[in-house]
Amino acid sequence: MSVNSFGNILRLTTFGESHGFAIGGILDGFPSGILLDTDFIQNQLNKRRPGQSKITTSRNEPDKLRILSGVFEGKSTGTPIAFMVENSNQRSSDYHTIADSFRPSHADYTYSQKYGIRDYRGGGRSSARTTVSQVIGGSIAQHLLWPLNIRITAFTSAVGNIKLNKLPEELDFSLIEQNLVRCPDMEIAEEMTSFIEKIKDEGDTVGGIITCMIENVPAGWGEPVFEKLHARLGFAMLNINAVKGFEIGSGFDGIKLKGSQHNDLFFVENGKVFTKTNFSGGVQGGISNGQSIYFNVAFKPVATLLQNQKTINAALQEVSINPGGRHDPCVVPRAVPIVEAMSALVLADFFLLHNARKY
Amino acid sequence: MSVNSFGNILRLTTFGESHGFAIGGILDGFPSGILLDTDFIQNQLNKRRPGQSKITTSRNEPDKLRILSGVFEGKSTGTPIAFMVENSNQRSSDYHTIADSFRPSHADYTYSQKYGIRDYRGGGRSSARTTVSQVIGGSIAQHLLWPLNIRITAFTSAVGNIKLNKLPEELDFSLIEQNLVRCPDMEIAEEMTSFIEKIKDEGDTVGGIITCMIENVPAGWGEPVFEKLHARLGFAMLNINAVKGFEIGSGFDGIKLKGSQHNDLFFVENGKVFTKTNFSGGVQGGISNGQSIYFNVAFKPVATLLQNQKTINAALQEVSINPGGRHDPCVVPRAVPIVEAMSALVLADFFLLHNARKY
Amino acid sequence: MSVNSFGNILRLTTFGESHGFAIGGILDGFPSGILLDTDFIQNQLNKRRPGQSKITTSRNEPDKLRILSGVFEGKSTGTPIAFMVENSNQRSSDYHTIADSFRPSHADYTYSQKYGIRDYRGGGRSSARTTVSQVIGGSIAQHLLWPLNIRITAFTSAVGNIKLNKLPEELDFSLIEQNLVRCPDMEIAEEMTSFIEKIKDEGDTVGGIITCMIENVPAGWGEPVFEKLHARLGFAMLNINAVKGFEIGSGFDGIKLKGSQHNDLFFVENGKVFTKTNFSGGVQGGISNGQSIYFNVAFKPVATLLQNQKTINAALQEVSINPGGRHDPCVVPRAVPIVEAMSALVLADFFLLHNARKY
Amino acid sequence: MSVNSFGNILRLTTFGESHGFAIGGILDGFPSGILLDTDFIQNQLNKRRPGQSKITTSRNEPDKLRILSGVFEGKSTGTPIAFMVENSNQRSSDYHTIADSFRPSHADYTYSQKYGIRDYRGGGRSSARTTVSQVIGGSIAQHLLWPLNIRITAFTSAVGNIKLNKLPEELDFSLIEQNLVRCPDMEIAEEMTSFIEKIKDEGDTVGGIITCMIENVPAGWGEPVFEKLHARLGFAMLNINAVKGFEIGSGFDGIKLKGSQHNDLFFVENGKVFTKTNFSGGVQGGISNGQSIYFNVAFKPVATLLQNQKTINAALQEVSINPGGRHDPCVVPRAVPIVEAMSALVLADFFLLHNARKY
């Protein structure tokens, strides 16, 4: 049990806090001989990066990837790929006012209780900055899926009450990077952006949903009982900061359907198997069935407000705080590459496991 | 990576198929010297048992627990606790008609694709019968939590469109076992029961939601990045057959709130820390905060219908099937002890890990 | 961390004590579609079985393999293979006299200290009877190696001071099963047998060495730093009861050679790579080099004597005991199939891991 | 399965090659609130460091420890401790002559076969330079053992045919650091040093044995079947570069004794349990018995010679090489801190596991 690791045959172990010299990780089990597209990795990092637009925090971290090992002349060597991103533009001073207080719905209190010690400079290990390592690890993992033509696409499908109501086949993924919220519908995106700006002006925050589509996963990945493919995906998503829910396929809405409505009927076309509907979300009995995998991930509103809030301090006295730092009004747009990265880690791991048995 | 194991320090490994001599498992890492309450374990098994009421399948499996090792003179010895339940009342003949066909939204197709071989007698390892081992393992795990006064209570909170709309503090858990659906509200329970009966008469099925409350978990359990307490709980739940969604605390509804509404404000009473609301569901930053943990688990409608359905067979020809076996119209009432069991496995494991570091 | 499991992708978890209903295990991760040779497995069990000859214990346990799951119509299904062997012919009464005493160099004292509870009927989980599960698991694992033409052969190479001094190429493995000690030299075997008989008459015991040869392992198996092939083999062997030492290739004697003598020089014959000597024992830098793997395993003399011995009891008083049960004067002949089984578990696991990366 | 990780609750994952920016690792699971003695860690690194004396390689690597995370104001925070040591003084040019050849008894050939790619600059991941990370991780782990008064002491006990023949109670550990070979006997140390110098002058190398004593381990650590304490220690040692053998207690010599000679008789003194002899090496049935643990580790002669050697190249042609770099004539003196470090990782992990169950 490595509590800061994720995955089995392909395993990412991460380190680092919001403040400190660097954050990073080690990706172990990555096969040799694969040319790494570092532009792709850096680009995914840039999508997660703070300060990228008017609706994100104004902190400006360059987040420059540095690979420490496991790559020689551009190719993976089969040995652990270690990487780091130096922490810069840390304004610990932002946190002095709250060093002694437990911010509401933050991890300040729970970390104090767990560790008996607290790095008061910005949340330490609980900071969403730790997701930098996940984006890097997952973006490297993606390289294993490309030759199989597997395409992972995450996008914002809800912000507060504003929801994208489109069928998967109506989506135009090329629009995702055309707007600030990463929603594949320019009108809804505009609505979401305006709403986030309004919320930001109030010093408040709002939650949202990211939907992820994974195309071209072959049938047969996932394990029957305790490593169901969607359970691993759910586990991956629920480990992302601020996530409170996960549903695959019909999810929570599916409970309202009858079995006769919900069953995905098989049919054959050109010798290939398809289903007429896809309420299963591409996974049946924990194993991929060859249809598109899709799932929703719910992100709660960011806990850090630019408002006064009552709370308690370490001496259990009532205090009032106004964190006053530079934070996001809505975490969802920046979380899109994280959802993609964690999905890639899950799929690449199952791919290797699937290979293991194919002999 | 043991694909049929769950847990770290306390680890359950299970075996068995719906048809075959027996199903069972090994619970490893359970401390020594603990008196096992086998009546409790058998009672939890009985709640999961088919044939227990008019709204469940009429299959009648006694599911008698047999402990093979790890217990001496009633107490755990610290060595692996192996257990099994013999399979009986298997009517493989029920399945002859479907042996060659892929039932819609079942695992027949995906298992064929994965293993290239199929145990056509009732789903093999994909059968919900495998949850017998989970109930046993989890019920043993519960023994570790009792001395801490931790109470795990699951109940049916929705069937189809019928939903229990009560605040946690309004619930009377003593009612759960007073009705067939295991809902802590007799009126709603009656409504749900009637609905399930109607659905059953149609040869159809319906889904539902189980809510689980976990009281008295101390602050400080769970890990900061990749083993968040709620992520493990979600992973556990998503590994239960037919589960398509998991949400903790405010979950999917929470995205609509502003941060200023959603933040759980701390206060102190008699020297103890509480929060005014509990949208966090008892977990902040992946770590328990001492408030009650609660979450919802969405179960899809059972895929096996007593109706004709079109599907394909292994030769990829269109066929029509009517499985005609003895199946549940709604899996939710029988899944209540499974949700409790998987929760117990998660919590007991984090408890042991927490102890490990406390030195 | 499953403390009663061994292996990674292919993982054996065992259960059971010397006394109790049954011992057995679960082999998880075994690929589907493989026809199991149950005669081979039972035959390996028979080699381990007590009561097989005049130089082993007179306990007579039939040790009949029973497979509980994971096999359908003779073939593996890809799901966990659970198996058990019922305990029979247990004479707990043999142990009444020692129930309260700590037998010297046994695990009685350490188990009491660890668990605070003791199954006094014959050693409980510390009994060598637990190796039954290892033989079964490993013999199933062997099936993965046969198509690769990998041959694992263990044999007795020393008993007390009597040592087999032959080069590997001089060994005739067909002789191993022609004598009671399982030594591939009939003369030395006779000497060893006589010596063991003499020791048995004295009510004493003696140790020995098992050598294992593994032929036809392809180059490239094993991991560079923490999962070196020979480290895993050593770990496997040191987990067998009574083993106190492991050496691969030149081992402890190799330290006396100069590098210029010890280096194995490469040469090419018919386009294939060989080494002139094989002091490396087939592993270089933790990875197989295609040459034969061979290693030695040292077994201490059995601790149970048919003599009076002074010791202490649980009340820390001096007592004198004479266990008087039915025990082996030398454990080595019966341990030969255990060494083969544990080797097979290691190699099959590395084979699957090797496959995983080959894409 | 993380193939570059070691340990369970306390787990070290390492990265890095001999050539490249840095080597290092992540130690996960280390409890919070522990003041790190960085001088101790650096000092252990210095003992491993090349260029420390006339009998080691003349490469001069400062090996300066840099901690990247997990430590705040000198104390562990409970989060992953990441560390690195920059590679400097790498003379890749040393390797140009051998870039295309497989050095005998090196990992050049096996790595090529495994990865299909080779970092020809000094062995890459197979370089003993990777043990830097082990020394750091293990030296941090030691901090958990100090409060228990556990003392780990490794020393050189043999170089070639020169052997230290003293009983443990005759050893004066304060002498270990008084001589270049790290042997607790000044006369034998002098002999060993002269011998290594002579071997060095010949451009040759020699092997040796390191003995490790671990005092004050409480009774009850280790697991009964697959995680025996000595099996984990053996696994740890066999994963160190150049190690070919491991024996605990009486080891390979113990096979020659009768059980009546070999059994360690218990006695009680001042209410505490002791054994008259300690052939068990402090471990019985896989579990510590409270007596001193001691074991031997055999290191083969270093494969890199300053002599011409015949070998083959990647095109399978015969070539002659003379690596000509800066290498050790005997690796044993510098391996002493590595043996201590790996021992500490094993013991600290079992300590945490032991705590987990103590409730």
Side-chain angles (χ1 to χ4, degrees), chain A residues 1-6 8-9 12 14 102-107 109-111 113-115 125 130 134 158 160-161 198-199 202 204-209 219-228 230-232 234-235 238-241 243-252 254-260 262-268 271 273 279-281 283-285 287-289 296-303 305 307 309-312 316 342 349 353-354 357, chain B residues 1-6 8-9 12 14 102-107 109-111 113-115 125 130 134 158 160-161 198-199 202 204-209 219-228 230-232 234-235 238-241 243-248 250-252 254-260 262-268 271 273 279-281 283-285 287-289 296-303 305 307 309-312 316 342 349-350 353-354 357:
Chain A
M1 177 179 225
S2 190
V3 295
N4 287 282
S5 297
F6 186 86
N8 290 294
I9 299 182
L12 176 66
T14 73
F102 301 131
R103 288 169 295 169
S105 288
H106 260 279
Y109 173 70
T110 55
Y111 273 59
Q113 292 295 304
K114 181 177 187 66
Y115 297 116
R125 184 74 176 151
T130 57
Q134 297 166 28
N161 279 301
K198 180 176 150 286
I199 286 285
E202 296 172 12
D204 217 326
T205 63
V206 70
I209 293 177
W221 293 13
E223 296 294 323
V225 173
F226 284 137
E227 294 282 340
K228 290 188 166 82
H230 61 285
R232 265 275 149 201
F235 182 54
L238 289 158
N239 272 319
I240 298 173
N241 296 40
V243 171
K244 302 298 275 185
F246 170 87
E247 58 181 4
I248 184 161
S250 60
F252 279 90
I255 67 157
K256 297 167 193 162
L257 298 179
K258 294 184 189 176
S260 56
H262 191 273
N263 278 357
D264 296 320
L265 301 186
F266 289 109
F267 69 98
V268 176
V273 173
F279 290 115
S280 300
V283 180
Q284 290 173 330
I287 300 169
S288 59
N289 69 352
N296 293 324
V297 189
F299 290 78
K300 67 164 191 166
V302 174
L305 312 179
Q307 300 179 353
Q309 281 193 292
K310 285 207 171 139
T311 191
I312 58 172
L316 303 193
M342 292 304 297
D349 200 16
L353 181 59
H354 185 77
R357 311 261 177 72
Chain B
M1 173 178 231
S2 190
V3 295
N4 287 282
S5 296
F6 186 86
N8 291 293
I9 298 182
L12 176 67
T14 72
F102 301 131
R103 288 169 295 168
S105 287
H106 261 279
Y109 174 70
T110 55
Y111 274 59
Q113 292 296 302
K114 182 178 187 64
Y115 297 115
R125 185 76 178 151
T130 58
Q134 297 166 27
N161 279 302
K198 182 176 148 286
I199 287 285
E202 295 173 11
D204 215 325
T205 62
V206 71
I209 294 177
W221 292 13
E223 296 295 322
V225 173
F226 284 136
E227 294 281 341
K228 291 188 166 82
H230 61 285
R232 265 274 152 202
F235 183 53
L238 289 158
N239 272 317
I240 298 173
N241 295 41
V243 171
K244 302 299 276 186
F246 171 87
E247 59 182 2
I248 185 163
S250 60
F252 278 90
I255 67 158
K256 297 167 191 164
L257 298 179
K258 295 184 185 176
S260 56
H262 191 273
N263 278 357
D264 296 319
L265 301 185
F266 289 109
F267 70 98
V268 176
V273 173
F279 289 115
S280 300
V283 180
Q284 290 173 331
I287 299 169
S288 59
N289 70 350
N296 293 324
V297 188
F299 290 78
K300 67 164 191 167
V302 174
L305 312 181
Q307 300 179 354
Q309 280 194 294
K310 285 207 173 140
T311 190
I312 57 171
L316 302 193
M342 293 304 298
D349 200 18
F350 276 113
L353 181 60
H354 186 76
R357 311 261 177 73

Side-chain angles (χ1 to χ4, degrees), chain D residues 104-139:
Chain D
S105 288
H106 261 279
D108 299 341
Y109 174 70
T110 56
Y111 274 60
S112 285
Q113 291 295 304
K114 181 178 188 65
Y115 297 116
I117 194 174
R118 181 176 157 208
D119 179 347
Y120 47 74
R121 303 161 306 167
R125 184 76 178 151
S126 73
S127 164
R129 182 147 181 76
T130 57
T131 57
V132 160
S133 305
Q134 297 166 27
V135 170
I136 297 170
S139 299

Side-chain angles (χ1 to χ4, degrees), chain C residues 111 114 204 222 224 228 239 260, chain D residues 111 114 204 222 224 228 239 260:
Chain C
Y111 274 58
K114 181 177 188 64
D204 216 326
K228 290 188 166 82
N239 273 317
S260 56
Chain D
Y111 274 60
K114 181 178 188 65
D204 216 324
K228 291 188 166 81
N239 273 317
S260 55

Side-chain angles (χ1 to χ4, degrees), chain C residues 34-88:
Chain C
I34 294 169
L35 191 70
L36 289 196
D37 181 346
T38 48
D39 286 346
F40 168 75
I41 306 168
Q42 184 64 54
N43 193 39
Q44 290 294 93
L45 266 186
N46 293 348
K47 291 187 198 168
R48 196 219 72 95
R49 186 170 88 78
Q52 63 185 270
S53 81
K54 63 183 177 183
I55 62 165
T56 65
T57 166
S58 60
R59 280 199 320 279
N60 202 329
E61 292 158 328
D63 288 349
K64 181 82 189 70
L65 167 68
R66 181 168 196 178
I67 289 179
L68 302 175
S69 72
V71 178
F72 182 52
E73 297 176 345
K75 283 186 179 170
S76 63
T77 60
T79 60
I81 301 176
F83 54 82
M84 71 176 184
V85 165
E86 293 187 24
N87 284 327
S88 61

